Amino acid sequence: MNEITVTSADAFDIRDWLRLDLMPHFMCPGCGHGIALRALLWACHELGIKKDKLAIVSGIGCSGRTGAYIDANTFHTTHGRPLAFATGLKLARPDLTVIVISGDGDSLAIGGNHMIHACRRNLDMTLMLLNNEVYGMTGGQVSPTTSAERFTTTTPAGNVEPVFDACKLAEGAGATFAGREATLQTPALKDLLKAAISHKGFSVAEVISDCTEIFGRKNAMGNSAEMVLRQKHAMIPERSPDDRVPEPFKPNPFPTGVFVDQQRPEYGELYDQVRKRARERSK
Amino acid sequence: MSQTQIRFSGSGGQGLILSARILAAALAARGKFVAQSQAYEPTSRGGLSRSDLVVSDREVDYPLVTSLDCVVILDQVAVAASEGLLRPDTVTITDAARVSAPPGEPRRVLALPITGKARGIGNIRVANIVALGALAELAGIIDPDSLRETMLDLVPPRFRDLNAEAFDAGREMAATLENA
Amino acid sequence: MSNPTNIQGNAAAAAGAIAAGCRFYAGYPITPSSEIAEQMAARLPKAGGTFIQMEDELGSMAATVGASLGGVKAMTATSGPGFSLKQENLGYAAMTETPCVIVNVMRGGPSTGLPTRPAQADIMQARWGTHGDHPIIVLAPHTVREIYEETIRAFNLAEALRTPVVVLYDETIGHLVETVTLKEPEEIITRKWAEGPREDYLPYAAGADMIPAFPRPGDGYRTHTTGLTHDERGFPTQDPEKVAAFMERLLGKLETHRDLIEKNELVETDGADVLIVAIGTPARAAKSAIRELRDEGIRAGLFRPVTLWPFPEEALKAAAKGKRAVLVPEMNAGQMILEVERVLAGEAPVTGLNVFNGEPITPAQIAAAVKELAK
């Protein structure tokens, strides 16, 4: 899964997947979320997913607003709760492909509890976690993934909190699929998302995105191209035992690739057995 | 409108809520309206436990007991809780061994060797059914035979004989007392 | 129709939900409502539905709304502290007009309060608990039979009017076991589904009934649902005209359907000198007190809102006409009385009987208060 599959992009036209009447979109110039959105729709296209059967559930923040541009059944829910909404939706409607678009604040802070329990439960849906190290929508506050010593509006003297590694968290909570890619490598990101969506069970695809306008500016990280190129220097193609958890107080290197890919009974199927047993017992 | 208020009380673990449930089921099956309540505080063994029934010919208005027609007290710990709810004519059944200072107000306290009888039958845990049998005989709220039937339907099959014996023993000791 | 059976109030809520067509329940254990979750865990899979115990109260409300967004009738239940947490996504359900039912079994508060003792101190929270102006229906059953019937009606109202509906009762009734005959529902309402070509469909456009048709995911409408203030297309808007139009419809829709929503019980109000206004256990105490007082020659009547919110303004006014005094017994420090005073301003003196020590209000307390007022 770590290799970039060579796929003809000709057949994929993002305009087929977007609500074009909503353009122009709200994202800032240089924001990585648009690249992630493109990779996601590209993955859906290659998987042959029908838009009518696609449900996108998102939370609050910049990540949460991206879902509205997708021409599918889109649900923009509340702060940190998209995984919980999606859990109800998927259980009620197992026929839908359910993809949650969330951010580092949404999934790792206010919605952290839902994230770890979604991993544990293993219901068949995908979390695309857009990690841009910051609360962009609210003006640039520190997030659980803000690198050490970075400046944000709530860490005016530099961040002293250690960061969360979303993939390690997912793995520790029992996720059956967890991987990470950067927006720098869109085809690889698309392939990661394809693998995540195809995975039977709960899958986490973390996307290293960039917030040029707020986080980049505050930390003098250059323009969007420079920010994306930074990913190149920080990314590690594969995870090795030495770089498991990004250490606090130094710029974060981030491993990329698929870290967890295993099979465990899927929650929806297990609940089918609960129904069967309940009916047999009541006979 | 005729309304009857009954309380089963004692200490946690004596099975009094089951006694109340059996009586409530028997009354409902015979066309009565029953409201059954109990304290929901975590009752460990030894603490106060009670279950109350308000029985009526139509839907019960106020569902909690205010003035008891009949009370079963199987442990001293339960005496104080009922003091304010007793009338001179309240049928008050106490366990002779476990209630040393019965409530003072009612004219007649029927102190029966309920737990002693249960132990004699072979299992102290059927004291609740002995009490139920005694109550059926004394309270005049239900035909004891039909209550016995309901009771046997509700207890686990392997304990049916034991419970039948307990129920009959309770009736008998009450009848003896009545005739005395 | 079943035979008379003894059933607990909380179990009756679960039975009513299943009878109404509820096929999804997400919950989190909390005293004194946990029996509802336990009952649903046992009953739903048999009915082909889904029960899930979520990781917290916030998530259980979110999953409930999520299931309903998928087109399935959904419910959750909670108490005090959990009801506070559920307000977040209850607001989302109100905003997105997603039908759902929330049972709140009231215990003593504030905070952790008295977990196993009855109270009625969530009357105002049930109406105003979530932020922002919002529509909500609150039903207040007072017997186990009524919990069953009102839970069915809660689903019907939620579906018909696309709104969250709260079923609100105190711990005494929740844990009470009563003899009830569970009748099959006379009517089961399911939300109006979107029909016709996608091009003509506006998910938040409504006709004279003010209730938009619901787009079932998978039916091809591919709509957007958001907690942001939205236009008829369902997309965020800040256009003051559109915002105002949306809010007017959202807040007006329940008023338009008051006939469907409103339900009151009147007991011996004609010719009464004192009118008692009560819900839940105090209403039952009032019924008992009214009978006792009648024997003493004191004439009291009861006005009981079965639908607590929207508050039955006109019906209360009519019932209070010519009464010498109005008594509002509540197991709180005075909540419903504020509405009664507002509605009856100047027409009749209103007095509260407030008990908030964790004990239910008794017939004797009400009888004494009425006697005082009848002097």
Side-chain angles (χ1 to χ4, degrees), chain C:
Chain C
M1 186 167 137
S2 70
N3 292 320
T5 161
N6 291 337
I7 181 172
Q8 191 203 45
N10 283 341
I18 302 268
C22 173
R23 290 299 176 266
F24 185 89
Y25 182 100
Y28 189 77
I30 186 161
T31 304
S33 75
S34 300
E35 294 87 357
I36 303 175
E38 291 165 353
Q39 287 281 325
M40 291 305 265
R43 289 169 188 255
L44 267 174
K46 279 184 211 161
T50 307
F51 166 88
I52 187 167
Q53 182 172 317
M54 289 295 285
E55 50 273 13
D56 55 32
E57 297 275 5
L58 305 153
S60 64
M61 189 69 221
T64 299
V65 179
S68 183
L69 286 167
V72 172
K73 290 187 187 180
M75 177 169 100
T76 188
T78 190
S79 180
F83 195 49
S84 294
L85 294 169
K86 287 202 153 74
Q87 297 300 331
E88 173 195 68
N89 294 316
L90 191 152
Y92 183 83
M95 182 57 142
T96 57
E97 300 179 68
T98 308
C100 57
V101 173
I102 305 103
V103 181
N104 178 26
V105 188
M106 287 183 284
R107 66 192 229 181
S111 189
T112 316
L114 300 162
T116 60
R117 305 303 307 165
Q120 295 181 311
D122 303 348
I123 285 174
M124 284 298 175
Q125 188 190 20
R127 175 63 192 90
W128 302 110
T130 197
H131 59 275
D133 291 321
H134 62 277
I136 195 145
I137 296 171
V138 180
L139 309 180
H142 79 321
T143 63
V144 173
R145 170 182 58 77
E146 209 172 47
I147 289 175
Y148 173 78
E149 292 168 359
E150 289 304 301
T151 304
I152 294 168
R153 199 165 72 94
F155 273 96
N156 283 344
L157 292 172
E159 292 283 323
L161 306 173
R162 286 190 59 176
T163 180
V165 178
V166 175
V167 180
L168 188 70
Y169 52 86
D170 57 80
E171 182 272 345
T172 297
I173 302 163
H175 277 161
L176 191 69
V177 173
E178 281 193 280
T179 311
V180 179
T181 301
L182 303 177
K183 294 179 186 157
E184 282 302 314
E186 282 165 22
E187 187 184 24
I188 290 183
I189 299 174
T190 302
R191 70 194 79 169
K192 176 173 70 185
W193 302 106
E195 287 175 340
R198 184 190 189 214
E199 296 70 44
D200 306 337
Y201 174 64
L202 286 168
Y204 286 94
D209 70 352
M210 299 177 100
I211 314 296
F214 195 94
R216 182 169 21 208
D219 282 1
Y221 293 98
R222 301 198 300 276
T223 55
H224 185 58
T225 304
T226 177
L228 288 164
T229 306
H230 39 271
D231 58 19
E232 290 189 335
R233 301 173 309 151
F235 293 107
T237 183
Q238 295 186 22
D239 178 332
E241 261 179 50
K242 286 180 181 170
V243 171
F246 167 75
M247 287 302 290
E248 272 159 27
R249 183 182 63 73
L250 189 71
L251 300 174
K253 70 176 178 179
L254 297 192
E255 209 49 51
T256 308
H257 293 278
R258 236 184 209 275
D259 288 352
L260 183 69
I261 300 167
E262 197 162 315
K263 186 176 172 185
N264 306 297
E265 186 193 13
L266 281 78
V267 181
E268 304 192 22
T269 51
D270 287 343
D273 294 317
V274 178
L275 182 71
I276 304 165
V277 183
I279 60 166
T281 298
R284 299 181 71 158
K287 286 183 179 181
S288 188
I290 288 166
R291 281 175 231 286
E292 287 166 28
L293 290 163
R294 192 179 41 198
D295 295 342
E296 297 179 39
I298 298 167
R299 303 197 320 165
L302 170 69
F303 179 85
R304 181 173 71 88
V306 182
T307 299
L308 177 61
W309 299 107
F311 199 72
E313 297 170 3
E314 295 308 317
L316 175 61
K317 262 184 210 162
K321 212 168 188 70
K323 300 291 182 282
R324 203 197 299 176
V326 174
L327 177 72
V328 186
E330 306 180 75
M331 281 137 64
N332 59 43
Q335 296 194 9
M336 189 168 68
I337 193 171
L338 300 174
E339 279 298 289
V340 175
E341 283 171 342
R342 181 181 66 80
V343 170
L344 300 180
E347 289 188 29
V350 179
T351 307
L353 169 59
N354 302 99
V355 173
F356 40 84
N357 60 359
E359 294 296 322
I361 288 181
T362 64
Q365 286 170 321
I366 291 180
V370 169
K371 277 183 199 168
E372 197 61 35
L373 292 172
K375 269 181 192 167

Side-chain angles (χ1 to χ4, degrees), chain B residues 100-125:
Chain B
S100 49
E105 195 178 308
R107 270 194 296 242
R108 189 172 171 218
V109 172
L110 307 160
L112 303 176
I114 292 166
T115 49
K117 195 73 186 175
R119 199 178 290 114
I121 288 166
N123 193 335
I124 195 166
R125 294 187 62 185

